[in-house]
Amino acid sequence: MSSERTVFRLTDLAELGALALRRQVNDLFALLQLPSAWQGKEPGEIVRSALELLVSLLRLDVALLRIHGSEGLLEQGFPEALDVEALRAVGRDASPDSPTLFELSRPNTVGRSLVRVIAVPPLGEPGTLIVGSWRANFPTAHERHLLLTIAHQTVLAMQSSREARAQRELLAEQGRLERMNALLSRLHALSEGFSRTHTVPQVAELMLSQGLTAIGAQAGSLYLVNETETELCLVQAVGYPEPLLRGYQRIPVESDLPLACAFRDQRSLFSSWTGNTTTSLPRTFAAVPLRVDARCIGAMGFNFPESQHFTDGPRAFIQAIVQQAAQACDRARLLEAERRARLMAEARQQRADLLSEASALFGSSLDFEAALTQVAHLLVPRLADWVVMRVAERTPSGLEETKTVVVHRDPLKVELAHELGIPLLSAGGGQRTGVMNNSLIAPIHARGRVLGTIVLGTEQVGRYDTETLELVEELGLRAGVALDNARLYLEAREADRSKDEFLAMLGHELRNPLAPMVTALQLMSLKEGHAFERERTIIARQVDHLTRLVDDLLDVSRITRGKVQLKRGHIDLLAVLTRAVEMASPLLEQRSHHLELPAASPPLFIDADPARLAQVLANLLNNAAKYTDPGGRIVVTATAQQAHAVLSVRDNGAGIAPDILPRIFDMFVQEERSIDRSRGGLGLGLAIVRSLVELHGGTVSVHSEGLGRGSEFSIRLPLAAPHAPTVDAHRSPPSEVRTPHTVRLLVVDDNQDAAELLTELLSAKGYATRVAFDGPTGLQVAREFQPHLAILDVGLPVMDGYELASKLRQEPALRSLKLVALTGYGQDSDRHRARAAGFDVHLVKPIDPGQLLRTLGDLLALPALLAAP
């Protein structure tokens, strides 16, 4: 077996040593040139250059340099088809002293696939440097030294590059801040100047002098939009030829000029001039809108001597200056408008004061002639040297009487004013107004009628204008309204007097037959005993109801204003319906109608006045009976729908025309009927139905398919709480009320029957009672009897219940006395008055006996009463 050996000659070894030495020297020179070569380069360029240098100096087959710097990840690999992740995985276990093998994806130039890989970390930077070569002696000591040196030089160069870049950015920022401070200083100076301007020309002068210098413009113009926003009007311009400006005094908003486009679009335009190149105007321009909040009030144009590139900074500065000018222009216009408005307001206030004084004079007296005279003296000499007024007043007899008022600032010239004014009155009749021969004429009118005329005269030429004419026209209108109101007042007073006389006569005529009817009922009760008891009960009930209606009729103002007092109670709507059927039965029987009532059902409890509600239902039944042919059918239904009781009256009668249906509940509205079917009355029945239902918190509605197809009226009333109605104390007295005989009780009422019956009831319940029929007697009895409780009627003769309560409260021995007011007045004001007079409880007639006993029992439980003597 033989072996081959390599034999080196001494000369060959010397040449190899010299070659290695030259390479090391060249490598050192390359390292010394790195700082100058990398100076001014960016970190990414340094990483790429470092890797290229490593590959060339170390004759590498693979190389990967990764650095996580402030710029992010910087990575450079060799060769291009390098599997970076595989190399990183192998490099984790490699070091300069312990290489690791890495298999290339394809053989290198000498046909080798396996390379020796080492890894070193860059000094002071997060990352890694991985290199590899196929050579068996890789890396040599020299190569390790080169590798570490280049890695460290790369990091130092990157840090130097960052510092240089930061220094450049700092210098640039300092320069930018210096320029910004200069611009802000100019802007502040302009803002301060704008704050001292008060008119639009002052703003334009400042803007086109200091403003142009600040932005470096050669020429500029300021336009404001007119009131109709159709044109931009030139305020001031500088730097433009005079002939050119004459053609641009006004610019239509819809034109294609840059200023119009900037205003219309509310957007700044920065561009080069595209017009005639032979013009002497600069080629670079800016058009900026004058914007205030969301409004655009005009535009400004600037021309620059040289072509400029408008970056964000210059654009923002120009727009900021223009914004200041816009605010100043708007403020100046507001100041001017405020000054004009103040002058107009002062003039209007003077006119308003004059009209107010005149209105006060017109409204202060019914003597209209005297009021006219006072107003004439008010106008002279404020508005005129003389005044002539003529009106037509209506006398109590109904005739028209003409009255004339003449006033002159010189009392000796009244006749002259009369001679001057009368012809104008004759010439200016009707609604004519105007200024004639230093005179002013206007009508006195109201509701389309001319009631008179006002003439003002002066010796001053041109004194009267449109505003003065409007003032006198308004004065004529107010005088007409005052005169018309005086007429209406007299007519209303006469109508009211006639109404009172009519109601007094009607009340008297209605009460005349009622009195013998009541007497007849009493005689029948004495003579017949229990005979015809049901009939007498129905008649008595109807007489009571009719008496109550007569009382309401006499208090017509209370009815027309909806002031009817309701005597509410917890009642069953179906029981009230039975009473209403009794009231309407005569007409139903007379016309032979078939009436169908609701079947037996649970009661529908509501909080209502039974008499008034019976009146409502009877009116609906009578209405159905009147407008249904004899033998017709009337159906009444009553149901509970959610929180309301709904009662409907439906008939198959004449129906209601569509034009009448919306007004059917108005007063004095009736369908036109032939004579043989007329049952109308005054047309108040349905109006009363609506008023009474609404007083109960309900609503009423009507439905009809038209004439000849019947009608249906429905009322909706709120259901009361689901407890039984109040039980009459006479039928079922409350067993829980127990009163000791030691409690003394005084009853004071001028109605002897009522007082005696109430005393008898209270005595039966265990009270020790006394009775008095007037205030003075009640006071005397109270001093002697020393009662614990006192029930006082408010409407007492001689001394009413309020005065009696006050006097009882003044008695030292009666300080613990409990007072109960018994009255027919149930308004809140009545309750407040009773409380102020010293009453503890306020009860409204007729009072339920059970409620009265419970109230007295509550008062007995009070400690003050138990401590009484």
Side-chain angles (χ1 to χ4, degrees):
M1 181 176 183
S2 63
S3 60
E4 295 182 359
R5 293 185 298 171
T6 301
V7 180
F8 295 96
R9 290 181 301 175
L10 292 177
T11 55
D12 294 334
L13 292 175
E15 289 179 2
L16 290 174
L19 178 62
L21 181 60
R22 284 197 300 271
R23 287 186 58 192
Q24 292 180 7
V25 171
N26 290 335
D27 292 343
L28 291 176
F29 275 112
L31 293 177
L32 292 175
Q33 293 174 356
L34 285 180
S36 60
W38 287 346
Q39 186 174 4
K41 294 185 178 296
E42 293 296 321
E45 296 176 320
I46 295 173
V47 169
R48 184 168 56 254
S49 176
L51 190 68
E52 292 174 354
L53 182 62
L54 285 170
V55 171
S56 63
L57 291 180
L58 302 182
R59 295 172 296 163
L60 300 174
D61 292 308
V62 293
L64 175 65
L65 177 57
R66 289 171 58 93
I67 296 179
H68 295 276
S70 59
E71 305 84 1
L73 174 63
L74 299 176
E75 183 179 77
Q76 191 70 30
F78 173 83
E80 292 184 359
L82 177 65
D83 188 347
V84 174
E85 295 300 325
L87 182 59
R88 287 180 61 196
V90 172
R92 291 190 186 97
D93 299 328
S95 67
D97 298 326
S98 178
T100 311
L101 293 179
F102 175 72
E103 185 175 1
L104 298 174
S105 58
R106 59 184 178 179
N108 58 11
T109 56
V110 295
R112 301 295 181 88
S113 297
L114 289 176
V115 296
R116 292 164 59 85
V117 174
I118 63 173
V120 295
L123 180 64
E125 293 283 350
T128 185
L129 173 60
I130 305 173
V131 296
S133 175
W134 65 272
R135 288 177 285 113
N137 64 341
F138 179 81
T140 65
H142 176 67
E143 288 172 335
R144 286 197 297 271
H145 177 71
L146 284 177
L147 180 64
L148 293 174
T149 301
I150 292 175
H152 296 160
Q153 288 282 6
T154 300
V155 172
L156 291 176
M158 291 179 64
Q159 293 175 351
S160 298
S161 174
R162 292 174 187 143
E163 291 175 358
R165 183 175 60 190
Q167 185 67 23
R168 290 194 303 273
E169 292 176 353
L170 179 60
L171 292 175
E173 182 66 17
Q174 288 177 346
R176 190 183 69 82
L177 289 177
E178 290 175 358
R179 292 191 299 274
M180 183 62 68
N181 287 333
L183 293 178
L184 290 176
S185 178
R186 296 175 187 174
L187 184 61
H188 176 71
L190 280 173
S191 300
E192 187 176 358
F194 284 139
S195 66
R196 294 192 294 269
T197 59
H198 302 288
T199 64
V200 172
Q202 290 176 348
V203 175
E205 176 67 27
L206 179 65
M207 182 63 194
L208 296 177
S209 57
Q210 299 182 25
L212 291 185
T213 304
I215 65 177
Q218 179 182 3
S221 59
L222 189 150
Y223 286 80
L224 292 181
V225 69
N226 61 1
E227 293 182 356
T228 59
E229 297 191 358
T230 57
E231 292 181 326
L232 294 174
C233 304
L234 178 64
V235 177
Q236 190 172 342
V238 296
Y240 299 102
E242 186 63 28
L244 180 66
L245 288 178
R246 285 197 293 268
Y248 291 96
Q249 294 294 316
R250 294 178 179 273
I251 299 177
V253 170
E254 299 300 326
S255 71
D256 295 331
L257 292 176
L259 283 173
C261 295
F263 170 82
R264 192 170 57 247
D265 300 336
Q266 296 193 26
R267 182 171 57 86
S268 299
L269 301 177
F270 298 89
S271 181
S272 298
W273 180 262
T274 57
N276 187 358
T277 57
T278 61
T279 181
S280 60
L281 290 175
R283 297 177 57 83
T284 304
F285 75 90
V288 184
L290 292 167
R291 299 181 67 241
V292 179
D293 297 330
R295 297 180 295 115
C296 192
I297 63 173
M300 291 197 69
F302 304 100
N303 290 85
F304 298 86
E306 298 177 358
S307 179
Q308 294 192 20
H309 178 64
F310 293 101
T311 59
D312 292 341
R315 286 172 181 252
F317 180 65
I318 294 173
Q319 290 173 339
I321 290 180
V322 174
Q323 179 67 21
Q324 293 284 344
Q327 296 287 346
C329 285
D330 190 58
R331 184 179 65 255
R333 295 207 304 182
L334 290 176
L335 289 174
E336 178 62 22
E338 181 183 1
R339 187 186 67 81
R340 291 196 304 267
R342 184 171 62 253
L343 295 176
M344 293 178 61
E346 290 175 356
R348 289 174 180 170
Q349 185 60 46
Q350 293 174 358
R351 294 195 296 269
D353 291 342
L354 178 62
L355 289 174
S356 178
E357 292 181 52
S359 298
L361 292 174
F362 285 135
S364 62
S365 174
L366 293 177
D367 187 349
F368 195 72
E369 184 178 4
L372 278 181
T373 303
Q374 291 177 311
V375 172
H377 284 288
L378 191 65
L379 297 175
V380 176
R382 291 192 190 182
L383 295 181
D385 295 325
W386 54 269
V387 173
V388 178
M389 299 184 183
R390 174 179 288 176
V391 296
E393 280 193 303
R394 182 174 297 172
T395 63
S397 60
L399 301 177
E400 295 286 342
E401 180 179 342
T402 301
K403 294 185 178 181
T404 304
V405 173
V406 182
V407 174
H408 197 288
R409 63 187 307 170
D410 185 352
L412 300 178
K413 295 182 179 181
V414 173
E415 288 298 327
L416 176 61
H418 188 274
E419 294 176 2
L420 294 173
I422 295 301
L424 293 175
L425 288 175
S426 303
Q431 293 279 4
R432 182 178 177 182
T433 61
V435 179
M436 300 180 296
N437 300 327
N438 295 335
S439 300
L440 188 151
I441 186 169
I444 298 175
H445 61 99
R447 293 193 294 170
R449 296 176 54 220
V450 177
L451 307 176
T453 308
I454 301 176
V455 176
L456 275 66
T458 181
E459 298 176 359
Q460 181 181 348
V461 178
R463 179 174 181 178
Y464 296 133
D465 53 15
T466 303
E467 291 186 355
T468 308
L469 179 60
E470 292 176 354
L471 170 65
V472 178
E473 287 178 338
E474 177 65 21
L475 183 63
L477 175 60
R478 297 194 181 194
V481 171
L483 178 58
D484 191 53
N485 287 341
R487 288 182 172 186
L488 292 175
Y489 174 77
L490 294 175
E491 293 173 359
R493 188 168 61 177
E494 179 64 22
D496 189 61
R497 185 187 62 81
S498 300
K499 176 206 67 176
D500 291 341
E501 292 179 354
F502 169 75
L503 289 178
M505 179 183 64
L506 179 62
H508 179 267
E509 292 301 321
L510 288 175
R511 287 183 182 278
N512 277 340
L514 286 175
M517 289 171 63
V518 174
T519 304
L521 285 172
Q522 293 176 348
L523 291 175
M524 289 173 63
S525 178
L526 293 174
K527 295 179 180 181
E528 303 295 337
H530 294 288
F532 304 103
E533 183 175 358
R534 180 176 179 277
E535 290 80 358
R536 285 189 286 106
T537 301
I538 294 175
I539 295 173
R541 185 183 303 139
Q542 300 307 315
V543 169
D544 291 340
H545 183 67
L546 183 57
T547 302
R548 183 172 181 178
L549 293 180
V550 170
D551 291 339
D552 287 342
L553 183 61
L554 293 176
D555 191 5
V556 66
S557 62
R558 180 161 56 97
I559 295 176
T560 55
R561 290 181 300 165
K563 299 293 185 178
V564 176
Q565 298 292 328
L566 297 180
K567 298 180 180 179
R568 292 179 178 267
H570 199 72
I571 62 174
D572 181 7
L573 178 61
L574 299 178
V576 177
L577 175 61
T578 302
R579 181 175 176 183
V581 170
E582 292 178 357
M583 297 167 62
S585 58
L587 183 58
L588 293 170
E589 294 173 358
Q590 177 186 350
R591 298 181 66 82
S592 302
H593 290 314
H594 173 70
L595 177 64
E596 183 177 328
L597 296 175
S601 61
L604 298 174
F605 290 118
I606 58 175
D607 183 18
D609 184 331
R612 290 301 186 184
L613 195 55
Q615 179 185 355
V616 167
L617 301 182
N619 279 356
L620 294 180
L621 290 172
N622 285 329
N623 187 76
K626 286 189 293 184
Y627 295 111
T628 301
D629 290 336
R633 187 167 179 264
I634 300 173
V635 179
V636 181
T637 60
T639 59
Q641 297 181 6
Q642 296 181 347
H644 289 82
V646 180
L647 187 143
S648 299
V649 178
R650 186 175 71 254
D651 62 67
N652 60 349
I656 304 173
D659 59 328
I660 296 294
L661 198 62
R663 301 182 293 113
I664 195 65
F665 292 107
D666 295 342
M667 296 183 69
F668 309 114
V669 172
Q670 290 180 303
E671 282 275 14
E672 294 184 1
R673 303 293 178 189
S674 60
I675 295 176
D676 63 318
R677 297 177 61 188
S678 177
R679 302 287 190 276
L682 296 177
L684 296 175
L686 293 179
I688 293 174
V689 166
R690 181 174 63 179
S691 297
L692 293 178
V693 170
E694 290 177 352
L695 280 176
H696 283 85
T699 59
V700 60
S701 60
V702 62
H703 174 74
S704 177
E705 298 292 338
L707 293 176
R709 305 186 66 177
S711 59
E712 180 177 6
F713 289 84
S714 299
I715 62 173
R716 295 175 61 90
L717 295 168
L719 286 170
H723 57 75
T726 304
V727 180
D728 191 335
H730 290 293
R731 297 194 306 269
S732 180
S735 58
E736 69 276 11
V737 178
R738 292 292 184 268
T739 305
H741 287 277
T742 56
V743 176
R744 298 183 294 277
L745 189 147
L746 172 64
V747 176
V748 184
D749 195 334
D750 61 330
N751 187 327
Q752 185 172 349
D753 292 338
E756 291 178 349
L757 288 174
L758 182 57
T759 302
E760 183 179 350
L761 172 64
L762 294 174
S763 297
K765 297 301 178 182
Y767 290 91
T769 60
R770 292 285 181 88
V771 64
F773 304 116
D774 57 56
T777 304
L779 180 59
Q780 182 62 32
V781 171
R783 289 170 178 168
E784 299 171 356
F785 184 50
Q786 295 290 303
H788 300 97
L789 298 168
I791 302 175
L792 309 182
D793 179 27
V794 171
L796 295 173
V798 184
M799 178 192 299
D800 63 25
Y802 300 118
E803 182 180 358
L804 176 57
S806 299
K807 290 184 178 298
L808 289 174
R809 288 298 182 204
Q810 297 172 8
E811 294 289 330
L814 299 175
R815 288 183 179 176
S816 61
L817 176 63
K818 299 299 178 182
L819 296 179
V820 178
L822 191 61
T823 173
Y825 304 99
Q827 299 295 329
D828 289 339
S829 58
D830 301 318
R831 293 184 174 87
H832 293 323
R833 185 178 178 186
R835 180 67 63 183
F839 284 102
D840 297 289
V841 178
H842 178 274
L843 299 178
V844 180
K845 293 180 181 179
I847 183 65
D848 178 69
Q851 180 185 353
L852 175 61
L853 292 174
R854 285 191 295 273
T855 300
L856 296 179
D858 293 340
L859 289 175
L860 284 175
L862 298 178
L865 181 60
L866 298 178

